[in-house]
Structure formats: C-alpha cells, structure tokens
Amino acid sequence: MHRVTLTQYLIEQQRNYGKVSPELRLLIEIIARACKAISHAVSKGPLAGVGDAVGTHNVQGEAQKKLDVIANEVLVEANEWGGHLAAMMSEEMATPYTIPHRYPKGGFLLVMDPLDGSSNLDVNISVGTIFSVLRCPEGVTEPDEKAFLQPGVKQVAAGFAVYGAATILVLTVGNGVVGFTLDREMGSFLMTQERIVIPEDTQEFAINASNARNWEPPVKRYIDECLAGKTGPRGKDFNMRWVASMVADVYRILSRGGIFMYPRDAKYNDGRLRLMYEANPMSFIVEQAGGAATNGRQRILEIQPRALHQRVGVILGSKNEVECVTRYHLQA
Ligand code: AFP
C-alpha cells in the first residue's frame, strides 16, 4: 500500500497551497530527523540510563534527566547549520540560542520542549518532543528574547512527536492536522492520519485530580458535573485519563476526542504548563483540528507573551466541552 511520506506531504503543501516555503520544509524535515534520533535514544531506556538525573537543573528549577539534555543537544545540533533559523529557544535553555556566526541565518525562530513528560521516562511511559515555528521579525538580525514574544496566532507551523509503542509525528502548517508513523525499517515518517478532526463532544476528561483542593470554582463545577455522570446535569457518564505527558494526552484527544485541563490554581498561580513551547503549539494544532483552547478566560493563541518561560492555564480539546468550561469561568 502506497503511503504518503512526510517529504511528499510537505512538497504538496508547498506546491498546491503555498503554505510551506523550501526553508520551512527543510526545517520540518530536520526536526523530524532529530525526532527519529531522540526516539532511538528513548527506546534504549534503562540500558542507556535515559531517565537518570544528571545533577543539573533547567531554568524552571526542574532536575534534568540525561535525555532532557541529549534531546536538546540533538535538536540544537541538527538545526544550527541549515541556514533556515535566526535563533532557537527551549525549555532547557534560559536564553535564546543564536545561530553561530560561522553559519548563515534564516527567517524562522524555533521554540521547543525537547523532551516533554520526562518525569515519565524512568517508568517507561510515553514522552515526546513539542515544537513551534515563528517568523523572525523583519529587520531583526540578532534575535533576543523580545523577538520570540509573539502570540500563538503568529505560528507558521507546530508539531509534536510521541515516543510510544509507535513513534508518531503530528504536524500542522496551518492547513489542517496530519499524523505520521515512523517506519523504523525505512527510517521514514509515513502518513497514517490524513486529516485529524477532534469530535466536538466527548465523554473523557484529563486532569491531575490530586490538585482538586486548589482548583477555582468553575473547574470544580465542571469536574463535579463530569463525576456526577448520568445522575447529574450532563446526563451522561464520563471517563478519566491522565498520562502526565502532555504529548500523550493531546494525541489521545486528537485521535478520539476529550478535554485536557491544567488550569491555573492556588498552587500554580500562573498555571503549570509553559505558554511558548507547550500551550501555544498544542493550541495551534488543536484549533486546526476543529477543537478549542483557552486559559479559562481567553483564547490561548491570542495571549501576548511577557517572558520566554511564562506559564499559563490550559483547557483544550473537544470544542463544546472547552466552551462549557470557559463559559463557567466567565460566569464566575
Ligand atoms: P515533565 O516534563 O516535567 O514531566 O512535565 C510534563 C508536563 O509539563 C506535561 O507534559 C504534563 O501534562 C504535566 O507536566 C504533568 O504535570 P503533573 O506531573 O503535575 O501531573
């Protein structure tokens, strides 16, 4: 059976829709290749001590795992020489990485969470890589933090890889959402989901329920109604999932619907998840798949970032459910 490869998809987006320039195509293909290398490293597990702490902490103060550092290095080394980037930033770097002068600069900014869900590495639960692509502002030759502080609506592409039983790559270039599966023998990403659409309704919610005592009233109201099931105002039973790897939770929602919630609360005043390299790329993908994404009160993609590593509340997934939770916040 002929399957469309990632390269063929990108060429078609370039030729038929003008959505992908040759520079952007090169960037996405290089990221995909880096994800293959990270997938290979993840699959070694305890044999390579991928989940071992390395004794350092990232800018968030989180203990870095060996694979956090490796994944960041793989992505930086893969992307610094190609001439398609002006700079890049990631969860693992306090400040932006500017392209060394020995290499040409390009027109894009790359924003990454090199290894999302790394606290799951030592228990063999799926982790992933999240990326977001912005344009470097006109006339900016030495991009600093300010150049990156663009709202999510400015993204030209976003995607994530899930390193699970299969390695899946989900991508949007602003023309819908597609899914590819890594064929390890061929070393190619082959299209396995031609046009991902999130069902507008769902009976499955994802939230870390151990934070319940810290939730704001609208969140408590929504979750209580889900828990009341058939006997409550929703008139239907709900199921719950929480992988604690955003890439795995979001991929499930893209595949069968659902609502993912990491709202701001009394413990995480600004929210737990990072705007630039978790919430924005995932929100772009979810909206392109017909879903919705807010912080409870505002569309995430319209939030004007104030700082590279700023956090935000995240409620995303099936449109009607996200709108219900957002309505509860606005009524509160
Ligand atoms: P780590 O990368 O530190 O494991 O955090 C993963 C994450 O950013 C996101 O992928 C999960 O949805 C969320 O945090 C899990 O948070 P809890 O550990 O509080 O459930």
Side-chain angles (χ1 to χ4, degrees), residues 103-174:
Y103 298 128
K105 281 195 176 64
F108 293 110
L109 300 175
L110 177 60
V111 185
M112 307 174 282
D113 183 353
L115 202 77
D116 178 65
S118 54
S119 58
N120 284 317
L121 268 173
D122 39 9
V123 292
N124 201 37
I125 289 173
S126 300
V127 295
T129 297
I130 307 172
F131 67 91
S132 164
V133 184
L134 295 164
R135 280 188 180 49
C136 186
E138 279 297 310
V140 173
T141 51
E142 291 297 332
D144 56 6
E145 172 164 346
K146 208 156 69 35
F148 283 86
L149 300 183
Q150 303 176 40
V153 287
K154 297 284 191 184
Q155 294 173 97
V156 294
F160 64 91
V162 190
Y163 309 120
T167 288
I168 304 282
L169 178 70
V170 172
L171 174 69
T172 185
V173 293

Side-chain angles (χ1 to χ4, degrees), residues 92-301:
E92 306 306 328
M93 301 190 282
T95 56
Y97 180 89
T98 49
I99 301 303
H101 291 304
R102 65 182 179 281
Y103 298 128
K105 281 195 176 64
F108 293 110
L109 300 175
L110 177 60
V111 185
M112 307 174 282
D113 183 353
L115 202 77
D116 178 65
S118 54
S119 58
N120 284 317
L121 268 173
D122 39 9
V123 292
N124 201 37
I125 289 173
S126 300
V127 295
T129 297
I130 307 172
F131 67 91
S132 164
V133 184
L134 295 164
R135 280 188 180 49
C136 186
E138 279 297 310
V140 173
T141 51
E142 291 297 332
D144 56 6
E145 172 164 346
K146 208 156 69 35
F148 283 86
L149 300 183
Q150 303 176 40
V153 287
K154 297 284 191 184
Q155 294 173 97
V156 294
F160 64 91
V162 190
Y163 309 120
T167 288
I168 304 282
L169 178 70
V170 172
L171 174 69
T172 185
V173 293
N175 189 22
V177 180
V178 286
F180 299 88
T181 301
L182 178 61
D183 176 330
R184 292 189 190 281
E185 277 109 53
M186 298 276 291
S188 309
F189 277 106
L190 303 180
M191 188 184 287
T192 40
Q193 288 165 287
E194 189 175 352
R195 187 165 189 81
I196 295 177
V197 177
I198 301 177
E200 293 194 343
D201 295 302
T202 184
Q203 290 179 240
E204 196 160 70
F205 67 92
I207 195 165
N208 180 340
S210 70
N211 295 324
R213 66 185 180 287
N214 300 319
W215 292 338
E216 293 183 305
V219 174
K220 280 186 201 294
R221 173 182 174 191
Y222 178 77
I223 298 297
D224 285 346
E225 289 178 356
C226 291
L227 296 175
K230 278 199 184 69
T231 64
R234 302 304 308 272
K236 59 182 182 179
D237 289 341
F238 279 72
N239 191 22
M240 195 197 104
R241 286 284 181 275
W242 186 251
V243 184
S245 269
M246 189 180 196
V247 289
D249 281 314
V250 171
Y251 182 66
R252 184 191 59 253
I253 288 167
L254 288 168
S255 303
R256 69 186 193 209
I259 181 169
F260 172 97
M261 300 170 71
Y262 216 123
R264 65 161 305 284
D265 63 19
K267 177 177 165 189
Y268 297 108
N269 275 315
D270 295 329
R272 168 172 159 84
L273 303 181
R274 277 57 57 115
L275 175 60
M276 296 299 294
Y277 40 82
E278 289 175 312
N280 269 344
M282 291 308 201
S283 298
F284 184 23
I285 291 163
V286 163
E287 286 198 3
Q288 282 288 313
T294 76
N295 63 359
R297 294 177 176 82
Q298 177 185 7
R299 188 179 170 221
I300 285 177
L301 294 183

